[in-house]
Amino acid sequence: IKSAPVGTHTLVFSSVGYAKKSVTGVEVTKNEAATLDVIMSSETIELKSITVEAERVRANESRMLIKRRNAPNVTDGITSEVIEKSGDSDAGDAVKRVVGVSVVDNKELIVRGQGGRYANLRLDGATLPSPEPGKKEVPLDLFPTGLLEEVIASKTFTPDQPANFSGGSVNLVTKEFPSALSYKVSTSVGYNTASTGENRLSYKGGDLDWLGIDDGERDRPEAMNNPDWFDQSNPSLSDKELQEQAGEQFQNEWTPQPTGTPLNTGYGISLGNRYDLSETKALGFSGSLTYSNSYAALDEGVFREFNSQAIPWADYNNVREGKQSVLWGGLFNTSLTTGENTKFSFKSVYTRTSDDIAISRSGHDGYNDRDMLETNLRFISRWVGSANISGEHRLPWLLNSNVLWRTGVNGAGRDDPDNHSAFYTVTGTAENPRYTVEPQKYSLNRLYSEQNERGAQIALDWSIPLAQDGAKLKFGGLFEGKTHDFTSHRYRYVEAGGQPPDEGFAEDFLTPENIGAYRDRGQWMLADYTLPEDKYNVNDHTSAVYLMADFPITAKLRAIGGARYEDSRMRLHSDGGRYVAGDTLFNVHTGDWLPMGSMVYRLTEDMNLRGVISRTMARPTYREVAPFQFQDHAIGIPKEGNPFLRSTYITNYDLRWELFPRTGEIVAVSAFTKGFQDAIEIFIKREGTRNVYTHVNSPDATSYGFELEVRKLLDFIGPSFERFTFGGNLSIMESEVTVADPENPSDLLKSNRPLQGQSGFTLNLLLGYTSTDRRTDVTMVYNSFGDRPVRFGQAREEPYYEQTRHQVDFTIQHRIWQTVRLKLGAKNLLSEDYIVTQEVRTQEGPLKERVGERYEIGTSFSLGVSYGI
């Protein structure tokens, strides 16, 4: 209600089919919205059909529950109302509040125990490219929560959405424009008990690191622009002067140094407004910018890899790591209604994140029985952006049908310049250690990698009402095309001839007087070890059409059904590889029909029973099918493509009972089971003296689970609890996977182990309080998950499991004036450590659990202030 006068009012609510209700004592203050939740009793009357139109309030949690009740599929979600109260800073924190959803390393989405290829992330309905090499998933920590209006998780497939998921498809919806002028400026500071004020490993970076952008400080030397600087086929033909210049011009910094760890900081600004151009025309816009700079200092961490006898062959018992993380993003959305039946929208988003990392790991090398030290300096920058134009048209002259079209472009990129490492053998005593560089293939490396992906898509959805009872027919299509380019270069300092100096740290002996060219006696030289497969490009196109119907069979029974056809073509080109001679042009083409059927039975006005059967799929990524090896710089283990890999097809069965007792309340119980045909699984094989990752199709896999969700106002306990809200959800999941040895398909391995990233359970609890005057909100949130496999050993070994961790977060927000709000937050109050373990069977038989990773996360406290309306 616009322009309501300041004071105390009585409001009368009426709606067709409901009894009229009056609410007295409604207080309206200047420059502030008053919000009411009103429960109305149904009343049977007979009228001619009417149409009611209103602008919906998208961010309200009650509206989300209404949307879920009327949805054709099984959906869950949260709005910015809950996100703000929970104190979550990015989508990785916010998404894990959704029932059945967890997040690994605050980046990888896991829905109903399935991640990676089996979970799908979209932004405003459009598929996003990934900035990660060879992966489908988009890191969730790329998206600040300040840009989000709601998060919707589709647990089941409908033909009008992409079918490349099984666990779920999560749509991040950005903020729309407000109904009136709105602006907000905010700032915050944060303190972490494990990091702030402690010594943090760091190194000299670039002047633009605070923006998540390398300013050229890490660029390759100018001498490398001349292709004659190094000849891989015959190093003696290299230009000796250029080769020496290249080796000397690199920054000679290899060992991280301790520095202080400041407070975490964050800033935000937003502005939006709506302009009524006439009774039927309106223009609105919303824009925002967010920025955060956070630090982490890890000390006395643990990292181990075990052999088959539970003996650690890599035992780093003193892991120190310093990290500076920058996250910023902005959006600009605008919409124009040109009449009662037409609306045009433009939505654009850009986000960037970077991690500046310095690592020192010392411990014991069990293979060679010696003490080791490893140092690594790295800067990783990622970005994702999209821009979409859409139109919505209601056509009264054509059966009152509704047409929605969308077209847009998107992109993603990742830059990892000058990732360099050094390995040393440590001798001497603890008081007087002696360091000697280890001349192995990963020591004195300088790695450069860059990838960029560009995409464009156009989509059309046409919905036609068939009768006054809600029956409708919907059809449409999608075309999506994208290009992907990846380039990597690897360099290493090696002995030019004789025995160059190698004691002390790399900075001590990689000085200009000790760097030469090929066969310079007693000197180091820089060599190019780039492989043909370190550069490739991809063209990927997907076309889809669908048809679905939604119609009532009886007054209480509703049926939804249809099918989607997807045609996908992927071409990968490389200059060859170690196992492929000459250029490689690899083609994959699939065409698939994907059906879906659902029944919704309305037991009462507020109670539904849903059943859904669908068929979805998961395609292999280009790296997984390309017939050559890629070097995974992050873990130092190569990955080998499998050109015989097939797509995975999943049959999904879902059942849900849901009750919506009152506005803002829900009780839901769900069960699901999924059968996987040709599930794609990681297989680690031994190739000489090293492990090689590859992927295989497992003969079969199953996943099943149970979900419970409750959101309830606590006024039924008594008057003292009428301002309290309780919310909670529990998911229990199991899976069984059988992996076949690709060299001996009849040899079935590791049956009954879970899918990667799947927890046995996830649990979220929320207790909220809102003061009578609505000036104060207090929220306590609990999150936990069961042990989940995060990486695999060899095929006959147990996976490495991230151990169950319990997290309690607390947020209090208080409005001290009409336009000023304070926010105090605390995360991880229990301060439990991050722990990864592996069970290893010894010669004696029993399983022994060994700690593979351990480090302290600490408790974070934040204080923020915002100004705005």
Side-chain angles (χ1 to χ4, degrees):
I1 302 176
K2 296 182 179 180
S3 303
V6 174
T8 302
H9 303 275
T10 296
L11 298 183
V12 180
F13 294 84
S14 62
S15 181
V16 176
Y18 293 88
K20 184 178 296 185
K21 184 170 185 176
S22 297
V23 179
T24 61
V26 179
E27 295 185 3
V28 176
T29 57
K30 188 177 181 180
N31 296 328
E32 183 181 353
T35 303
L36 293 178
D37 290 330
V38 180
I39 301 171
M40 303 180 69
S41 302
S42 60
E43 180 182 61
T44 302
I45 58 175
E46 289 191 9
L47 292 172
K48 295 181 180 180
S49 63
I50 62 172
T51 299
V52 178
E53 296 183 358
E55 189 76 19
R56 62 190 179 190
V57 181
R58 297 169 57 94
N60 186 272
E61 192 68 13
S62 300
R63 179 248 171 189
M64 170 66 76
L65 295 181
I66 294 172
K67 185 176 181 179
R68 289 172 56 182
R69 181 176 62 183
N70 299 327
N73 58 338
V74 176
T75 63
D76 295 306
I78 57 173
T79 66
S80 58
E81 182 180 41
V82 173
I83 293 173
E84 184 174 354
K85 290 180 179 180
S86 301
D88 299 324
S89 59
D90 59 59
D93 284 327
V95 168
K96 66 184 181 184
R97 311 295 182 192
V98 180
V99 57
V101 177
S102 60
V103 179
V104 176
D105 193 27
N106 217 42
K107 299 178 186 293
E108 183 181 351
L109 179 67
I110 307 291
V111 184
R112 287 182 165 180
Q114 300 160 57
R117 75 185 76 255
Y118 301 118
N120 186 23
L121 183 70
R122 294 180 293 160
L123 183 69
D124 290 323
T127 303
L128 286 173
S130 172
E132 300 297 325
K135 293 184 179 181
K136 171 189 171 183
E137 61 262 25
V138 181
L140 287 164
D141 60 358
L142 268 168
F143 302 97
T145 52
L147 307 182
L148 302 180
E149 186 146 286
E150 59 186 13
V151 177
I152 302 174
S154 298
K155 300 292 186 63
T156 58
F157 163 68
T158 52
D160 58 348
Q161 59 182 318
N164 58 335
F165 72 92
S166 170
S169 178
V170 174
N171 185 26
L172 306 179
V173 181
T174 58
K175 291 185 174 180
E176 289 272 12
F177 60 85
S179 58
L181 175 64
S182 172
Y183 58 85
K184 183 178 180 181
V185 179
S186 62
T187 183
S188 64
V189 294
Y191 174 90
N192 182 272
T193 58
S195 301
T196 308
E198 302 294 330
N199 280 334
R200 170 179 57 94
L201 294 185
S202 184
Y203 67 99
K204 182 181 180 299
D207 292 335
L208 295 181
D209 287 2
W210 65 278
L211 281 176
I213 302 171
D214 178 53
D215 63 354
E217 186 73 18
R218 301 172 180 87
D219 284 353
R220 290 174 293 173
E222 185 71 23
M224 288 184 171
N225 294 331
N226 190 320
D228 295 332
W229 84 271
F230 191 79
D231 190 320
Q232 281 186 305
S233 60
N234 189 349
S236 64
L237 300 179
S238 304
D239 186 301
K240 300 192 67 172
E241 183 177 348
L242 290 173
Q243 187 182 10
E244 183 174 346
Q245 289 178 6
E248 294 175 354
Q249 289 173 0
F250 269 116
Q251 271 196 346
N252 189 23
E253 185 179 16
W254 299 81
T255 308
Q257 301 298 320
T259 187
T261 304
L263 293 169
N264 302 327
T265 56
Y267 309 92
I269 183 172
S270 63
L271 175 66
N273 204 352
R274 172 193 173 105
Y275 304 94
D276 293 320
L277 307 178
S278 69
E279 290 187 0
T280 59
K281 297 180 181 180
L283 173 67
F285 76 92
S286 176
S288 65
L289 287 171
T290 64
Y291 175 87
S292 66
N293 193 347
S294 60
Y295 302 87
L298 166 65
D299 197 11
E300 296 181 353
V302 172
F303 182 87
R304 298 187 180 102
E305 295 276 0
F306 300 98
N307 64 15
S308 59
Q309 302 306 313
I311 299 173
W313 59 264
D315 184 2
Y316 290 104
N317 52 28
N318 184 18
V319 178
R320 302 177 63 200
E321 178 177 337
K323 180 189 293 187
Q324 178 184 3
S325 298
V326 170
L327 169 63
W328 62 272
L331 70 79
F332 178 77
N333 295 339
T334 183
S335 294
L336 172 66
T337 56
T338 60
E340 294 182 350
N341 301 319
T342 302
K343 179 181 179 180
F344 297 96
S345 300
F346 172 77
K347 290 190 171 186
S348 59
V349 179
Y350 181 89
T351 68
R352 178 177 285 271
T353 182
S354 70
D355 293 316
D356 218 338
I357 304 169
I359 299 175
S360 172
R361 303 196 297 185
S362 60
H364 191 70
D365 175 4
Y367 272 162
N368 301 294
D369 190 24
R370 57 187 173 185
D371 292 333
M372 296 289 294
L373 169 68
E374 173 192 354
T375 64
N376 176 245
L377 305 179
R378 190 175 193 184
F379 177 83
I380 307 171
S381 178
R382 308 175 185 89
W383 66 270
V384 170
S386 71
N388 295 283
I389 300 174
S390 62
E392 187 173 358
H393 312 273
R394 187 161 60 90
L395 309 177
W397 53 272
L398 187 59
L399 302 177
N400 232 12
S401 62
N402 194 78
V403 177
L404 176 64
W405 56 268
R406 183 185 70 248
T407 183
V409 295
N410 54 49
R414 171 184 166 119
D415 189 19
D416 190 354
D418 203 12
N419 171 14
H420 51 291
S421 302
F423 292 78
Y424 306 91
T425 298
V426 184
T427 57
T429 64
E431 295 77 16
N432 188 26
R434 177 185 175 189
Y435 300 98
T436 305
V437 71
E438 177 65 26
Q440 53 146 299
K441 65 181 300 180
Y442 299 120
S443 185
L444 303 183
N445 264 9
R446 308 195 86 118
L447 306 175
Y448 285 78
S449 63
E450 182 180 7
Q451 85 171 37
N452 286 284
E453 187 168 303
R454 300 289 190 274
Q457 59 181 235
I458 183 170
L460 174 70
D461 298 288
W462 198 317
S463 180
I464 303 175
L466 300 178
Q468 295 292 333
D469 58 5
K472 64 179 180 180
L473 185 69
K474 189 175 183 180
F475 61 91
L478 165 76
F479 175 79
E480 183 178 52
K482 58 183 178 181
T483 61
H484 180 101
D485 297 291
F486 179 86
T487 302
S488 180
H489 297 275
R490 57 186 93 200
Y491 312 104
R492 182 158 61 98
Y493 287 96
V494 297
E495 299 174 352
Q499 178 63 48
D502 58 3
E503 288 190 11
F505 294 115
E507 295 92 338
D508 299 329
F509 53 80
L510 288 181
T511 55
E513 59 270 18
N514 293 327
I515 295 177
Y518 185 67
R519 289 190 178 172
D520 283 345
R521 303 294 296 176
Q523 291 191 314
W524 293 93
M525 77 166 184
L526 185 68
D528 188 348
Y529 282 83
T530 304
L531 301 172
E533 59 263 39
D534 286 333
K535 181 180 181 180
Y536 60 89
N537 57 76
V538 179
N539 285 291
D540 197 354
H541 299 87
T542 299
S543 302
V545 293
Y546 74 88
L547 175 68
M548 64 181 290
D550 185 343
F551 57 93
I553 298 177
T554 68
K556 291 191 172 183
L557 184 62
R558 172 187 174 196
I560 303 101
R564 183 181 185 92
Y565 179 78
E566 289 193 0
D567 182 275
S568 176
R569 298 174 182 267
M570 184 272 286
R571 300 196 309 165
L572 183 148
H573 177 265
S574 177
D575 293 333
R578 279 167 282 186
Y579 304 104
V580 179
D583 289 356
T584 300
L585 184 62
F586 195 75
N587 290 276
V588 179
H589 180 207
T590 59
D592 302 283
W593 283 102
L594 303 158
M596 169 266 180
S598 173
M599 291 285 187
V600 181
Y601 185 73
R602 190 177 63 184
L603 298 168
T604 67
E605 287 293 328
D606 301 316
M607 187 187 305
N608 290 330
L609 181 65
R610 299 174 180 270
V612 185
I613 302 176
S614 63
R615 187 172 189 251
T616 55
M617 68 176 303
R619 300 181 182 92
T621 67
Y622 39 85
R623 278 198 174 189
E624 292 170 350
V625 297
F628 42 73
Q629 287 189 1
F630 299 93
Q631 180 66 43
D632 192 320
H633 302 323
I635 60 176
I637 300 176
K639 293 182 177 181
E640 183 176 293
N642 179 1
F644 302 104
L645 208 58
R646 301 179 297 277
S647 295
T648 301
Y649 295 92
I650 309 102
T651 303
N652 310 275
Y653 302 90
D654 291 84
L655 184 66
R656 170 175 284 189
W657 171 86
E658 55 192 15
L659 171 67
F660 301 87
R662 293 187 295 173
T663 301
E665 295 185 346
I666 183 174
V667 180
V669 180
S670 308
F672 64 90
T673 182
K674 301 174 183 294
F676 296 78
Q677 174 189 340
D678 291 329
I680 300 173
E681 286 291 306
I682 294 175
F683 185 90
I684 301 182
K685 63 180 183 178
R686 198 71 176 168
E687 190 176 89
T689 59
R690 65 176 181 173
N691 290 333
V692 176
Y693 279 125
T694 189
H695 288 81
V696 297
N697 289 111
S698 68
D700 59 77
T702 58
S703 175
Y704 48 92
F706 164 86
E707 296 173 340
L708 170 65
E709 181 181 12
V710 177
R711 184 174 178 85
K712 181 70 176 171
L713 304 175
L714 299 184
D715 54 355
F716 69 93
I717 299 177
S720 300
F721 290 87
E722 64 180 7
R723 308 303 302 175
F724 285 86
T725 301
F726 170 79
N729 58 70
L730 170 67
S731 298
I732 300 175
M733 298 157 287
E734 293 287 342
S735 61
E736 298 178 354
V737 182
T738 301
V739 181
D741 187 335
E743 297 178 357
N744 184 12
S746 63
D747 187 4
L748 303 181
L749 309 169
K750 303 312 298 175
S751 182
N752 301 329
R753 71 152 170 80
L755 295 165
Q756 184 175 7
Q758 178 190 286
S759 299
F761 74 89
T762 63
L763 176 63
N764 290 286
L765 301 174
L766 180 147
L767 181 63
Y769 167 80
T770 301
S771 63
T772 305
D773 59 4
R774 294 182 178 270
R775 295 170 66 93
T776 304
D777 288 303
V778 182
T779 307
M780 183 76 75
V781 180
Y782 169 84
N783 172 262
S784 183
F785 57 86
D787 298 353
R788 56 191 180 197
V790 292
R791 68 179 190 272
F792 296 106
Q794 294 188 52
R796 293 172 176 82
E797 295 178 354
E798 291 295 320
Y800 288 82
Y801 284 87
E802 180 183 351
Q803 295 297 292
T804 298
R805 193 167 65 251
H806 307 276
Q807 180 168 325
V808 174
D809 303 332
F810 173 84
T811 305
I812 180 170
Q813 300 182 72
H814 178 69
R815 191 179 68 249
I816 57 177
W817 291 299
Q818 297 296 332
T819 56
V820 179
R821 182 181 290 268
L822 293 178
K823 182 175 180 179
L824 175 66
K827 299 185 74 67
N828 195 31
L829 284 170
L830 301 179
S831 193
E832 294 192 355
D833 290 352
Y834 175 90
I835 301 174
V836 174
T837 64
Q838 183 193 37
E839 290 185 338
V840 184
R841 189 174 299 278
T842 64
Q843 287 182 333
E844 292 76 19
L847 289 171
K848 291 185 177 181
E849 186 174 84
R850 294 289 186 267
V851 175
E853 292 183 59
R854 180 196 292 272
Y855 61 82
E856 182 182 1
I857 299 175
T859 300
S860 297
F861 298 93
S862 62
L863 176 63
V865 59
S866 63
Y867 171 84
I869 60 173

